[in-house]
Amino acid sequence: MDLNSGAGSLDQFEGGDATVRGAAVVSTRLSQPTDEWFLEPLSEIRIGATEFSEPDQKLFSVTQFVTAAGRKFSVPYAVATRPARGRRLWRAKVPAAAASS
C-alpha cells in the first residue's frame, strides 16, 4: 500500500477481524532502480495522532511509524479538528532474550 494514500485506511485493522502480525516499509526512492530499494522493518504504528504543520498552520491527523532502527516519520491524511495522541495499532514484540538482558 502506498503510505501517502493508505495511511488513513490503516484504522481498518483496529478492533476488526484482521490482525497485523508484522510490518515493514519498502523505501523505494522513486528515482532509483528497484535493486536499490530496501526494506525497513517497523517497530510501531500509531494511528489517529495529530501534528501541527508550521508551513500550513494547520493541525493534521497522521499515522506515525517507527522503524526498528528508531527512525520516526508521520504521514498526514486529514485535517484535524482537535489534538489527539492517537492509538497504537501495532507494536513489534520484543524477543524474551532481549527483554531480560
Side-chain angles (χ1 to χ4, degrees), residues 2 25-34 36-38 40:
D2 176 70
V25 173
V26 176
S27 293
T28 60
R29 309 279 193 251
L30 295 176
S31 62
Q32 299 296 324
T34 57
E36 293 184 24
W37 295 1
F38 60 95
E40 290 186 86

Side-chain angles (χ1 to χ4, degrees), residues 40-41 43 66-71:
E40 290 186 86
S43 64
V66 180
T67 68
R71 184 170 77 92

